[in-house]
Amino acid sequence: MPYFLHGDVNLFYTTQGTGPPVLLLHGWACSSHDWSYQIPFLLSLNFRVIALDQRGHGRSSAPPTTDSYAPREFADDVVALLKYLQTGPVILIGHSMGTVIASVLAVEYPDAVKALVLVHPIYSGVPETLPIMGEAMRADPQRAPELAADFFAKVMYTARTPEWLKTWQLRRVLGVDPVSLVGSIDGLVKVFGSMMGRSEEAKAFMRRRKGPRLAICTMEAAPGWEREIGVEDGMDQVCTLNEGTFSHMVESEKFNKILGDWMRARNLIQR
């Protein structure tokens, strides 16, 4: 069965392929299904592809308290899963909230991370709408899925986002556990200004990330911030896609080409 019990959390994951390991971390209110355009591509490059539904998301179980969803809690799940699967260091690909978790892993568990791919990185600064939405969710937790769906509809998409993709994601958001939605937002808001965000403390933390790094940015401030916290020539790359939060799906062929070219240039693909 593709489940792993870590403490009191039952984590759903899939693993395919037999090559060097790649771990995929989805974003807030999402699931590992969001990597459906990347999994076949990575398998074609002879990677072992591990896709995880993070706690409170997808098919994984949801702890009943909001303090169970801090980025370090998510990171601890990942480390436990990698030990269970005996993968050794992985190429870590994170999307949105997953870029925060991936960055925590790269700093605090450097031996577990071979390279970082950060898709729609959000750690350049907490959006003003995030704490406001979190406050509204805490005031009426049962409305959290509805508020999250409204946030998706207003913020996450562009004119080119297919209607089927919006329909699928918005229906999925409405089914996410309300405690998970509130706890994850609270956890993100709390780390901005210390580990993430624009403080000097955050800069120092993020500069401790090691290994090759690919940042595929979709927000205006993200590329500049990525360069401010350090880009090593020949190792790191910062680029931009223009189709919103889910550019890796809307522009999947372009995204996959950027990813594959970067991996080849860093000799990460097994020949």
Side-chain angles (χ1 to χ4, degrees), residues 96 99-100 103 118 120-126 192 195-198 202 206 209 213 215 219 222 225-226 229:
S96 192
T99 66
V100 173
S103 295
L118 303 153
H120 178 64
I122 62 170
Y123 43 70
S124 57
V126 59
F192 281 96
M195 292 186 289
M196 312 291 159
R198 294 193 169 267
M206 297 298 272
R209 299 180 299 178
R213 183 170 91 249
M219 297 193 302
W225 182 244
E226 204 70 49
I229 55 182

Side-chain angles (χ1 to χ4, degrees), residues 46-93:
N46 299 314
F47 286 108
R48 178 187 183 186
V49 183
I50 305 159
L52 171 66
D53 280 357
Q54 300 188 72
R55 58 172 56 204
H57 295 76
R59 291 171 174 80
S60 292
S61 64
T65 58
T66 55
D67 60 1
S68 299
Y69 296 93
R72 281 195 173 100
E73 299 283 348
F74 288 109
D76 287 346
D77 288 340
V78 171
V79 172
L81 178 63
L82 296 181
K83 288 181 179 177
Y84 171 72
L85 295 175
Q86 299 181 323
T87 62
V90 299
I91 299 170
L92 192 55
I93 304 179

Side-chain angles (χ1 to χ4, degrees), residues 71-248:
R72 281 195 173 100
E73 299 283 348
F74 288 109
D76 287 346
D77 288 340
V78 171
V79 172
L81 178 63
L82 296 181
K83 288 181 179 177
Y84 171 72
L85 295 175
Q86 299 181 323
T87 62
V90 299
I91 299 170
L92 192 55
I93 304 179
H95 172 243
S96 192
M97 182 180 76
T99 66
V100 173
I101 298 162
S103 295
V104 171
L105 283 159
V107 172
E108 300 190 346
Y109 301 95
D111 292 342
V113 181
K114 183 177 182 180
L116 271 178
V117 179
L118 303 153
V119 185
H120 178 64
I122 62 170
Y123 43 70
S124 57
V126 59
E128 292 181 4
T129 52
L130 207 60
I132 294 171
M133 181 174 61
E135 185 177 341
M137 287 181 172
R138 285 191 298 276
D140 189 356
Q142 292 309 308
R143 288 192 64 227
E146 175 190 339
L147 293 168
D150 185 63
F151 181 77
F152 265 60
K154 291 178 178 176
V155 175
M156 304 284 202
Y157 305 125
T158 72
R160 282 190 58 202
T161 306
E163 289 301 319
W164 70 263
L165 180 58
K166 297 179 190 178
T167 300
W168 168 51
Q169 291 185 336
L170 293 173
R171 293 183 71 249
R172 179 180 60 183
V173 168
L174 292 171
V176 179
D177 185 275
V179 174
S180 168
L181 293 172
V182 177
S184 299
I185 289 294
D186 283 350
L188 287 173
V189 170
K190 286 175 183 176
V191 301
F192 281 96
S194 55
M195 292 186 289
M196 312 291 159
R198 294 193 169 267
S199 69
E200 292 301 317
E201 184 182 358
K203 288 182 189 179
F205 181 87
M206 297 298 272
R207 285 171 180 157
R208 289 166 56 196
R209 299 180 299 178
K210 304 299 182 184
R213 183 170 91 249
L214 170 63
I216 302 178
C217 304
T218 69
M219 297 193 302
E220 185 178 352
W225 182 244
E226 204 70 49
R227 295 186 180 97
E228 186 170 343
I229 55 182
V231 174
E232 184 176 344
D233 290 341
M235 290 283 284
D236 302 332
Q237 180 180 343
V238 179
C239 59
T240 302
L241 291 178
N242 299 311
E243 292 305 323
T245 302
F246 298 99
S247 288
H248 65 299

Side-chain angles (χ1 to χ4, degrees), residues 13 17 28 43 48 106 115 162 169 183 188 248 257 259 268 271:
Y13 70 94
W28 175 70
L43 289 172
R48 178 187 183 186
Q169 291 185 336
L188 287 173
H248 65 299
K257 185 178 187 308
L259 177 60
L268 295 170
R271 300 184 186 280

